[in-house]
Amino acid sequence: MLRARIVATGSYLPEKIVTNQDLERIVDTSDEWITERTGIKERRIVGGCQAASDLAYEAAHAALKKTHIKAKDLDLIIVATVTGDMPFPSTACLLQARLGAKHAAAFDLAAACSGFIYGLHTANAMIKSGMHQRILVVGTEVLSKFTDWEDRTTCIIFGDGAGAVLLEATKEKRGILSTHIASDGTLADLIMVPGGGSRMGCSRETIMKRLHFVKMKGNETFKVAVRTLEELASQTLAENKLDPSQLSLLIPHQANLRIIQATAKRLGLPMEKVFLNIEKYGNTSSASVPIALDEAVESGRVKDGDYLLLEAFGGGLTWASALIRW
Ligand code: UT7
């Protein structure tokens, strides 16, 4: 039986740091409020002309450097993003060109913060079916360019970054054991960028109304996220006949510390078994899970044979999980 195994991870964070104190000077907020309500202390923001494919390239390059796989060996590139360089061509095609991955097909996938795990789900199915052998999956976001820096309810949350994994077919009894993806489009209005698409194309009016920025009903989103992620995590473990105590590490989407704590509590997992970097990077949407995975691997928190649970929740609404045996 073929499985997809993660053979390398990589990530990239822009250098510029914006602290909560910096935000206190821009909007009516405080370090205390942001820390208490979200767990975020600072976030990374791109320099002027950096775009999603630039961040993706750095993360992919970092992953490729760690393995025998060369860019020309890739046969598929999936880029999860909702902040791509431009409507088209896809950010995945721009990345393919930068990497020189000339044998790879490339496409973008939009599932907001769940995008990376949606990408893993897709790559896993393609590897298991034998259609593809070596796949690069990237989550990359430049949310700072879609953030309304006058809106204190959103600008305190988001950050920029990218994370990447290289997947290869294996016959070993490890790799991706299962993935779950789900959506509820009836709640699309909870998080969206209303302008700039075919519904409300760019015009003087859409710009004046600030419709090209993220709009979020934060508290409503928070409640759905807590409920959904608790259920998703329990279901994923149950379907794999695993007890939460067998889990080595939960690697959650870093949206809000209180959401993460609620999921851990429901599973009865001590916080030592939960990987956190929200304090440093905020919510980087589809990049958050692969950045966290890369940092967990690089810091030695992931060992051969470990069970890892990845989970995410985001705009769409979408949610997703992946259970991995390392
Ligand atoms: O990435 C995937 C999807 N996104 C999420 O999962 C995000 C989920 N939501 C959240 O993380 C939280 O809802 C937020 C952090 C966005 C907001 O926290 P909250 O505890 O839900 O606050 P709230 O929206 O209920 O607002 C409480 C109060 C309000 O004031 P009043 O009406 O009680 O006077 C807000 O106006 O806090 C006020 N507020 C702020 N105060 C200081 C909202 N933003 C700020 C701020 N600084 N930045």
Side-chain angles (χ1 to χ4, degrees):
M1 179 187 166
L2 277 182
R3 282 186 204 282
R5 188 168 83 84
I6 295 176
V7 289
T9 62
S11 61
Y12 174 76
L13 279 310
E15 277 170 28
K16 186 177 173 192
I17 296 174
V18 175
T19 64
N20 290 350
Q21 285 76 17
D22 293 329
L23 292 176
E24 283 176 356
R25 289 189 279 276
I26 302 175
V27 288
D28 180 15
T29 191
S30 65
D31 173 43
E32 193 190 353
W33 192 95
I34 302 171
T35 309
E36 242 172 50
R37 301 283 178 129
T38 69
I40 302 166
K41 288 301 246 182
E42 55 188 48
R43 64 288 291 145
R44 302 296 182 94
I45 300 295
V46 294
C49 59
Q50 260 182 321
S53 69
D54 300 321
L55 276 51
Y57 172 76
E58 298 297 340
H61 186 63
L64 282 163
K65 272 198 316 200
K66 294 178 195 167
T67 147
H68 59 285
I69 299 174
K70 302 273 173 280
K72 65 174 175 38
D73 302 328
L74 296 171
D75 55 13
L76 184 64
I77 297 174
I78 301 174
V79 172
T81 187
V82 286
T83 58
D85 292 29
M86 54 193 84
F88 72 90
S90 67
T91 300
C93 282
L94 302 175
L95 175 63
Q96 184 230 25
R98 273 286 285 284
L99 290 171
K102 56 185 179 183
H103 302 300
F107 65 86
D108 284 1
L109 186 159
C113 304
S114 314
F116 173 76
I117 303 180
Y118 265 65
L120 273 188
H121 175 84
T122 309
N124 184 40
M126 287 177 162
I127 286 180
K128 281 168 82 167
S129 72
M131 287 172 82
H132 290 274
Q133 276 72 45
R134 291 196 182 94
I135 306 182
L136 170 68
V137 182
V138 185
T140 182
E141 302 289 1
V142 180
L143 279 150
S144 61
K145 293 190 185 176
F146 295 82
T147 294
D148 185 344
W149 293 98
E150 292 181 11
D151 176 6
R152 69 175 184 173
T153 67
T154 52
C155 75
I156 54 132
I157 291 170
F158 298 114
D160 302 335
V165 299
L166 286 162
L167 293 159
E168 201 173 33
T170 180
K171 288 187 177 158
E172 293 174 50
K173 281 188 179 161
R174 58 179 180 156
I176 298 177
L177 302 185
S178 80
T179 54
H180 294 78
I181 62 169
S183 314
D184 185 356
T186 65
L187 297 174
D189 68 327
L190 292 190
I191 325 175
M192 58 162 57
V193 175
S198 55
R199 178 70 57 197
M200 279 188 273
C202 183
S203 68
R204 189 183 152 77
E205 196 192 351
T206 60
I207 291 171
M208 296 301 284
K209 288 185 173 165
R210 309 181 82 76
L211 296 177
H212 300 272
F213 296 128
V214 177
K215 311 284 175 204
M216 182 171 74
K217 294 178 184 165
N219 196 264
E220 286 173 60
T221 309
F222 182 96
K223 287 175 190 154
V224 186
V226 168
R227 195 176 61 238
T228 310
L229 287 172
E230 285 177 356
E231 278 169 24
L232 175 69
S234 303
Q235 269 171 14
T236 306
L237 290 177
E239 282 178 32
N240 285 281
K241 299 187 174 47
L242 277 183
D243 187 79
S245 63
Q246 292 173 272
L247 211 53
S248 308
L249 201 58
L250 172 67
I251 302 185
H253 169 44
Q254 312 279 315
N256 186 308
L257 181 59
R258 290 181 293 142
I259 297 176
I260 297 171
Q261 286 167 333
T263 310
K265 192 172 169 196
R266 163 80 179 257
L267 292 176
L269 267 192
M271 285 306 284
E272 300 80 68
K273 283 193 169 186
V274 181
F275 191 85
L276 293 174
N277 61 11
I278 187 169
E279 189 176 319
K280 298 187 287 180
Y281 308 136
N283 179 347
T284 57
S285 191
S286 72
S288 123
V289 170
I291 292 170
L293 175 63
D294 183 47
E295 290 198 342
V297 171
E298 286 300 306
S299 62
R301 288 191 63 182
V302 180
K303 310 252 180 320
D304 277 359
D306 276 358
Y307 287 108
L308 312 179
L309 176 60
L310 279 45
E311 45 96 331
F313 178 92
L317 294 177
T318 58
W319 54 98
S321 69
L323 190 77
I324 295 172
R325 179 130 210 227
W326 201 255

